[in-house]
Amino acid sequence: MCGIVAYLGDKDAYPILINGLRRLEYRGYDSSGVAMMDGGVLNIQKCQGKVSDLEAHVGSQGMKGTAGMGHTRWATHGPPNDINAHPHRSTSGDLALIHNGIIENYAAIKEELMHRGHTFKSDTDTEVLVHLIDDIQRSEGVDIAEAVRLALVSVVGAYAIVVMDRKEPDLLVAARKSSPLVIGIGDHGDHFVASDATPIVEHTKNVVYLEDGEIAVMDRVNGLKVRNIKNQVKTPFIQELEMHLEALEKGGYDHFMLKEIHEQPRSIRDSMRGRLNVTKGEVVLGGIKDHEQKLVNAKRILILGCGTSWHAGLVGEYLFEELARIPVEVEYASEFRYRNPIVGEDDVVIAISQSGETADTMAAIELAKSKGATIFGICNVVGSSIARVTGAGSYTHAGPEIGVASTKAFTAQVTVLTLMALMIGQRKGTINSSQFHRLIHELDSIPDKVQQVLLKEPQIQYIADIYKDAGNALYLGRGYSFPVALEGALKLKEISYIHAEGYPAAEMKHGPIALIDEAMPVFVIATKGASYEKVVSNIQEVKARKGKIIAIVTEGDQVVKGMADHVIEIPDTLDPFVPLLSVVPLQLISYHIAVMRGCNVDQPRNLAKSVTVE
Ligand code: M6R
């Protein structure tokens, strides 16, 4: 959600912070701010708007100092404005704090502090925390690190914070609970703190991922010290980042989303690399190999996720049921966590998350774990909280996804689920040897086929131009294509703000058909395969009501071509792999419609890339 970056060292901090904020802006972009220590003065500058607005607000001379911190906000408590922007300052004026997360008991703490004479400027929960630390520091006579620890003992909620104290200018204090924080250790004794590694990678590859309940103190003299909220000393585990700087750049594309759509032949290949061996005729997923038997013997698989990851999970349901003959339930993590779900030791849970930080998914995992289920993670971000808490699982290896609308993460998640289903199916014997070889050969050809779909972009752009002013859109698919219909609708609504619904094609007649008139574009995935004839009938039903059909069809299809207003051809493939191809034109159509409507494609309104609050 919000983005945090901080620096302590011997370099000018301001350019490091601003550059870091630009890299983190995908996490939140309604306001931003910077605090810098400059000759005994704690200087805070902040304002509503983008990081570029903050730069304009600060002016071309920048800010001075070699220690500082920056924040980009996604509003929870209080609207996006200058006052609610972080950093927040304490009553004494000595402390500044930035925060990602939610302090759930902020109202009670605020009331208590008001009785003690504190006054508040903002509507945020964050400001309460900086006043609380300040109050404890003064009343207990403790240093800033201890005051932070004591304050966090009484806090309920999720937080990643960085605190600066004017009286202790040579240190930064950072802490986390349920919101990620990474510390970078530079070559010259300098330290970086950030919500994720993207602002750090250009400075150092040595990082420490803070664990829940840990507090880090970075000191110019004593380096990095970590302890936990119970005051136990912890030894920081330094690891090397695998991320590359060029993965964080647009690489000549107008938007990250477009770049990420075009990266899919490569990212799908990377998801299969070292796992699919066509010559040997095997699928091996290293991260779950040791627990393979658990999957093979699973009586039921539960898949948990949110948003696009949930859609990937739905594709997984079809894959596991068809190829491995295991019953699957796919749950919204946000619903699962607040039920009293029937789950136990015989259950296998697969949690899917691009960011690996989604609060609902994290909480659902904890719940399933507490009931004894075996948990596997499918995450994109290496070292993320979900990846670490699940222990076993597979990274998708799609590379950093910066565009808020998920694209290459979806196809990478589906690829990993496909590999899992194939692996289990082969081990269980639910797919025979010739089927298995046919399937893996076809899977191996998918990256090249995605490349062929991408060549359709000019035609897709032409179609986008025709429907860019639509007020509503319907997406229909059956079987493996139903989740793709949901995903297509989500892509359109989140970046172009056009209302869109995804439906199983046959469900249309049970209600949504009432919406169809000559102004309604209906995107139908009508590829050759198990439900082709049925979908053709559904297209007829739309046409009879004058709806406009944009159909994704298998190359060479003449039947749908004769009925649809537009067809986008994709290469022929086996049913289980259709989602990996058919989603691509839908991603592109959403992208081009959004661009034509003048929308901010990479940072759509109200959204954030990683949703670390409930
Ligand atoms: O990082 P996660 O995969 O856990 O995120 C889940 C959703 O928040 C995410 O997929 C969201 O729906 C995207 N904006 C979709 O494009």
Side-chain angles (χ1 to χ4, degrees):
M1 309 247 67
C2 305
I4 283 177
V5 60
Y7 175 74
L8 177 75
D10 54 9
K11 302 190 185 78
D12 271 347
Y14 183 72
I16 294 173
L17 298 178
I18 287 294
N19 202 29
L21 287 179
R22 275 198 222 106
R23 296 230 185 270
L24 290 170
E25 203 167 20
Y26 75 100
R27 298 178 68 95
Y29 33 83
D30 62 44
S31 54
S32 58
V34 171
M36 300 268 302
M37 198 69 78
D38 177 18
V41 176
L42 185 55
N43 181 7
I44 296 181
Q45 299 294 332
K46 55 184 185 170
C47 67
Q48 185 179 351
K50 305 260 181 209
V51 176
S52 54
D53 296 309
L54 175 68
E55 284 184 270
H57 170 77
V58 169
S60 54
Q61 74 290 354
M63 291 166 73
K64 293 203 170 36
T66 54
M69 60 189 185
H71 185 270
T72 177
R73 180 172 186 246
W74 184 86
T76 56
H77 296 60
N81 60 31
D82 295 356
I83 293 171
N84 289 334
H86 301 206
H88 289 280
R89 202 191 275 274
S90 62
T91 311
S92 65
D94 287 343
L95 307 187
L97 180 143
I98 52 178
H99 168 223
N100 174 20
I102 288 181
I103 309 298
E104 287 170 15
N105 59 339
Y106 84 101
I109 299 174
K110 186 171 184 176
E111 201 180 323
E112 170 71 23
L113 288 169
M114 282 165 80
H115 283 126
R116 293 168 65 81
H118 291 263
T119 52
F120 292 82
K121 293 193 177 82
S122 77
D123 312 310
T124 65
D125 51 336
T126 303
E127 193 187 2
V128 171
L129 192 51
V130 72
H131 286 289
L132 178 64
I133 297 168
D134 184 40
D135 193 84
I136 291 173
Q137 197 184 26
R138 285 190 287 154
S139 59
E140 303 286 323
V142 291
D143 64 21
I144 183 62
E146 180 62 0
V148 168
R149 189 184 73 80
L150 293 172
L152 294 180
V153 169
S154 53
V155 158
V156 178
Y159 53 78
I161 58 168
V162 182
V163 188
M164 294 175 73
D165 184 353
R166 193 188 58 79
K167 306 183 295 311
E168 298 184 65
D170 290 326
L171 57 83
L172 293 175
V173 182
R176 73 154 277 179
K177 185 182 163 226
S178 305
S179 281
L181 265 191
V182 191
I183 294 171
I185 301 173
D187 293 337
H188 309 286
D190 41 1
H191 289 91
F192 305 81
V193 186
S195 306
D196 61 46
T198 54
I200 296 179
V201 65
E202 62 205 83
H203 303 290
T204 176
K205 293 239 163 182
N206 296 323
V207 296
V208 173
Y209 290 94
L210 271 197
E211 299 290 342
D212 263 0
E214 286 187 343
I215 302 163
V217 179
M218 286 139 285
D219 184 319
R220 284 188 203 277
V221 181
N222 298 314
L224 171 67
K225 299 267 185 283
V226 180
R227 56 188 171 148
N228 66 13
I229 206 160
K230 294 182 184 148
N231 216 9
Q232 295 159 323
V233 173
K234 298 289 201 177
T235 309
F237 170 59
I238 301 175
Q239 48 187 294
E240 198 172 321
L241 276 178
E242 282 178 17
M243 194 179 280
H244 298 289
L245 194 54
E246 54 281 13
L248 307 175
E249 311 285 352
K250 283 189 201 148
Y253 287 93
D254 288 343
H255 298 96
F256 280 109
M257 181 180 176
L258 188 61
K259 175 186 172 227
E260 287 155 8
I261 292 172
H262 279 268
E263 277 176 340
Q264 288 175 109
R266 199 261 317 137
S267 55
I268 294 172
R269 178 72 66 207
D270 285 348
S271 300
M272 299 195 286
R273 196 178 304 285
R275 295 167 170 172
L276 172 66
N277 189 328
V278 179
T279 323
K280 279 194 187 165
E282 65 178 24
V283 174
V284 179
L285 284 149
I288 57 174
K289 202 162 163 273
D290 294 345
H291 312 266
E292 195 180 291
Q293 219 42 45
K294 197 86 198 172
L295 275 164
V296 169
N297 297 334
K299 296 275 173 295
R300 178 176 75 142
I301 293 178
L302 262 165
I303 302 183
L304 304 174
C306 302
T308 290
S309 296
W310 183 76
H311 295 158
L314 288 178
V315 179
E317 178 175 15
Y318 288 87
L319 288 165
F320 284 116
E321 289 189 356
E322 179 175 348
L323 304 177
R325 303 304 297 147
I326 302 174
V328 178
E329 282 170 40
V330 188
E331 300 265 5
Y332 283 117
S334 53
E335 285 298 309
F336 180 86
R337 65 179 290 192
Y338 285 118
R339 293 211 315 270
N340 184 10
I342 301 165
V343 48
E345 288 174 11
D346 290 336
D347 287 310
V348 168
V349 170
I350 301 175
I352 308 178
S353 175
Q354 186 287 131
S355 62
E357 303 294 348
T358 301
D360 286 322
T361 310
M362 189 68 157
I365 291 169
E366 298 294 358
L367 178 62
K369 221 178 188 179
S370 72
K371 290 175 179 281
T374 303
I375 322 278
F376 294 103
I378 297 181
C379 294
N380 192 36
V381 177
V382 176
S384 56
S385 303
I386 292 175
R388 283 179 296 139
V389 80
T390 45
S394 297
Y395 283 118
T396 47
H397 297 308
E401 191 182 67
I402 311 285
V404 165
S406 202
T407 53
K408 65 175 180 172
F410 174 79
T411 45
Q413 289 163 345
V414 171
T415 303
V416 170
L417 288 162
T418 307
L419 292 170
M420 282 176 100
L422 283 167
M423 188 189 86
I424 306 168
Q426 188 198 28
R427 306 292 190 278
K428 279 184 76 171
T430 47
I431 33 182
N432 65 34
S433 172
S434 73
Q435 287 169 322
F436 180 75
H437 283 90
R438 184 162 171 248
L439 284 158
I440 62 171
H441 269 93
E442 181 57 23
L443 182 58
D444 192 48
S445 73
I446 290 296
D448 292 341
K449 291 187 174 177
V450 172
Q451 193 65 59
Q452 291 171 43
V453 179
L454 289 168
L455 297 176
K456 307 278 174 183
E457 190 165 3
Q459 186 207 353
I460 293 169
Q461 237 170 314
Y462 169 81
I463 297 171
D465 192 41
I466 297 173
Y467 296 102
K468 64 179 185 302
D469 298 319
N472 300 285
L474 204 55
Y475 286 72
L476 303 176
R478 296 181 86 141
Y480 284 101
S481 297
F482 161 52
V484 178
L486 294 177
E487 176 60 8
L490 177 63
K491 286 294 84 90
L492 187 70
K493 63 188 140 193
E494 70 180 332
I495 60 168
S496 73
Y497 319 138
I498 295 173
H499 170 245
E501 302 261 10
Y503 265 92
E507 274 296 301
M508 181 185 61
K509 60 184 171 291
H510 297 291
I513 199 163
L515 295 169
I516 293 176
D517 59 16
E518 59 283 350
M520 175 71 100
V522 183
F523 296 86
V524 188
I525 301 139
T527 49
K528 289 271 169 61
S531 6
Y532 175 71
E533 276 81 17
K534 308 281 176 204
V535 176
V536 169
S537 305
N538 300 136
I539 291 176
Q540 297 281 24
E541 290 157 14
V542 175
K543 283 313 295 173
R545 279 129 194 118
K546 300 192 170 55
K548 299 285 181 292
I549 294 282
I550 304 102
I552 315 289
V553 300
T554 306
E555 252 162 23
D557 184 309
Q558 292 304 324
V559 177
V560 178
K561 202 172 193 173
M563 304 174 203
D565 296 270
H566 313 272
V567 292
I568 302 165
E569 291 186 326
I570 61 172
D572 192 14
T573 190
L574 300 172
D575 269 3
F577 310 137
V578 168
L580 292 170
L581 303 183
S582 59
V583 75
V584 177
L586 300 183
Q587 295 167 343
L588 282 169
I589 212 142
S590 302
Y591 170 80
H592 285 293
I593 287 180
V595 170
M596 288 169 190
R597 288 166 70 95
C599 300
N600 187 337
V601 174
D602 282 336
Q603 296 170 350
R605 70 182 180 206
N606 305 338
L607 291 176
K609 184 69 184 164
S610 92
V611 186
T612 54
V613 297
E614 307 190 25

Coordinates of all heavy atoms in Angstrom, one line a residue, residues 296 298-299 301 317-328 421 424-425 428-431:
V296 N 0.1 -35.4 -3.8 CA -0.4 -36.6 -4.5 C -1.6 -37.2 -3.8 O -2.6 -37.7 -4.3 CB 0.7 -37.6 -4.8 CG1 0.2 -38.9 -5.3 CG2 1.7 -37.0 -5.8
A298 N -3.5 -35.7 -1.6 CA -4.5 -34.7 -1.1 C -5.9 -35.2 -1.4 O -6.2 -35.6 -2.5 CB -4.2 -33.4 -1.6
K299 N -6.8 -35.1 -0.4 CA -8.2 -35.4 -0.7 C -8.9 -34.2 -1.2 O -10.0 -34.3 -1.8 CB -8.9 -35.8 0.7 CG -8.3 -37.1 1.3 CD -9.0 -38.4 0.6 CE -8.4 -39.6 1.1 NZ -7.0 -39.9 0.7
I301 N -8.0 -29.8 -2.3 CA -7.0 -28.7 -2.3 C -7.9 -27.4 -2.2 O -8.9 -27.3 -2.8 CB -6.2 -28.7 -3.6 CG1 -5.3 -29.9 -3.7 CG2 -5.5 -27.4 -3.7 CD1 -4.5 -29.9 -5.1
E317 N -8.3 -24.6 -10.3 CA -9.4 -25.5 -10.0 C -9.7 -26.5 -11.2 O -9.7 -27.7 -11.0 CB -10.7 -24.8 -9.6 CG -11.9 -25.6 -9.3 CD -13.1 -24.9 -8.8 OE1 -13.1 -23.6 -9.0 OE2 -14.0 -25.5 -8.3
Y318 N -9.8 -25.9 -12.4 CA -10.1 -26.7 -13.6 C -8.9 -27.6 -13.8 O -9.0 -28.8 -14.2 CB -10.3 -25.8 -14.8 CG -11.7 -25.1 -14.7 CD1 -11.8 -23.9 -14.1 CD2 -12.8 -25.7 -15.3 CE1 -13.1 -23.3 -14.0 CE2 -14.0 -25.1 -15.3 CZ -14.2 -23.9 -14.6 OH -15.4 -23.3 -14.6
L319 N -7.7 -27.1 -13.7 CA -6.5 -27.9 -13.9 C -6.3 -29.1 -13.0 O -6.1 -30.2 -13.5 CB -5.2 -27.0 -13.8 CG -5.0 -25.9 -14.9 CD1 -3.9 -24.9 -14.4 CD2 -4.5 -26.6 -16.2
F320 N -6.5 -28.8 -11.7 CA -6.3 -29.9 -10.7 C -7.4 -31.0 -10.9 O -7.2 -32.1 -10.7 CB -6.3 -29.4 -9.3 CG -5.0 -28.7 -8.9 CD1 -4.9 -27.4 -8.6 CD2 -3.8 -29.5 -8.9 CE1 -3.7 -26.8 -8.3 CE2 -2.6 -28.9 -8.6 CZ -2.5 -27.5 -8.3
E321 N -8.6 -30.5 -11.2 CA -9.7 -31.4 -11.3 C -9.5 -32.3 -12.5 O -9.7 -33.5 -12.5 CB -11.1 -30.7 -11.2 CG -11.3 -30.2 -9.8 CD -12.7 -29.7 -9.6 OE1 -13.5 -29.6 -10.5 OE2 -13.0 -29.3 -8.4
E322 N -9.2 -31.6 -13.6 CA -9.0 -32.4 -14.9 C -7.8 -33.3 -14.9 O -7.9 -34.5 -15.3 CB -9.0 -31.5 -16.1 CG -8.9 -32.3 -17.4 CD -9.0 -31.4 -18.7 OE1 -9.4 -30.3 -18.6 OE2 -8.6 -32.0 -19.7
L323 N -6.7 -32.7 -14.5 CA -5.4 -33.4 -14.7 C -5.0 -34.3 -13.5 O -4.4 -35.4 -13.7 CB -4.2 -32.5 -15.0 CG -4.5 -31.5 -16.2 CD1 -3.3 -30.6 -16.4 CD2 -4.6 -32.3 -17.5
A324 N -5.4 -33.9 -12.3 CA -5.0 -34.7 -11.1 C -6.1 -35.3 -10.4 O -5.9 -36.0 -9.4 CB -4.2 -33.7 -10.2
R325 N -7.4 -35.0 -10.8 CA -8.6 -35.6 -10.3 C -8.6 -35.4 -8.7 O -8.9 -36.3 -8.0 CB -8.7 -37.1 -10.6 CG -8.7 -37.5 -12.0 CD -9.8 -36.8 -12.9 NE -11.1 -37.1 -12.5 CZ -12.1 -36.2 -12.5 NH1 -12.0 -35.0 -12.9 NH2 -13.3 -36.6 -12.2
I326 N -8.3 -34.1 -8.3 CA -8.5 -33.7 -6.9 C -9.5 -32.7 -6.8 O -9.5 -31.7 -7.6 CB -7.1 -33.2 -6.4 CG1 -6.0 -34.3 -6.5 CG2 -7.2 -32.8 -4.9 CD1 -4.6 -33.8 -6.1
P327 N -10.5 -32.8 -5.9 CA -11.5 -31.8 -5.7 C -10.8 -30.5 -5.2 O -9.9 -30.5 -4.4 CB -12.4 -32.3 -4.7 CG -12.0 -33.7 -4.4 CD -10.7 -33.9 -5.0
V328 N -11.3 -29.4 -5.7 CA -10.6 -28.1 -5.4 C -11.7 -27.1 -5.0 O -12.8 -27.0 -5.6 CB -9.9 -27.5 -6.6 CG1 -9.2 -26.2 -6.3 CG2 -8.8 -28.5 -7.0
A421 N -0.2 -29.3 -11.5 CA -1.3 -30.2 -11.8 C -0.7 -31.4 -12.7 O -1.1 -32.5 -12.5 CB -2.4 -29.5 -12.5
I424 N 1.4 -33.7 -10.4 CA 0.6 -34.6 -9.6 C -0.1 -35.6 -10.5 O -0.2 -36.8 -10.1 CB -0.5 -33.8 -8.8 CG1 0.2 -32.7 -8.0 CG2 -1.2 -34.7 -7.8 CD1 -0.8 -31.7 -7.4
G425 N -0.6 -35.1 -11.6 CA -1.4 -36.0 -12.5 C -0.5 -37.2 -13.0 O -0.9 -38.3 -13.0
K428 N 0.2 -39.5 -9.9 CA -1.0 -40.3 -9.5 C -1.5 -41.2 -10.6 O -2.3 -42.1 -10.4 CB -2.2 -39.3 -9.3 CG -2.1 -38.7 -7.9 CD -3.4 -37.8 -7.7 CE -4.6 -38.6 -7.4 NZ -5.7 -37.7 -6.9
G429 N -1.0 -41.0 -11.8 CA -1.5 -41.8 -13.0 C -2.8 -41.4 -13.5 O -3.5 -42.1 -14.2
T430 N -3.3 -40.2 -13.1 CA -4.6 -39.7 -13.6 C -4.4 -39.2 -15.1 O -5.4 -38.9 -15.7 CB -5.1 -38.6 -12.7 OG1 -4.1 -37.6 -12.4 CG2 -5.7 -39.2 -11.4
I431 N -3.2 -38.9 -15.5 CA -3.0 -38.7 -16.9 C -1.9 -39.8 -17.4 O -0.9 -40.0 -16.7 CB -2.4 -37.3 -17.3 CG1 -1.6 -36.7 -16.2 CG2 -3.6 -36.4 -17.7 CD1 -1.1 -35.3 -16.5

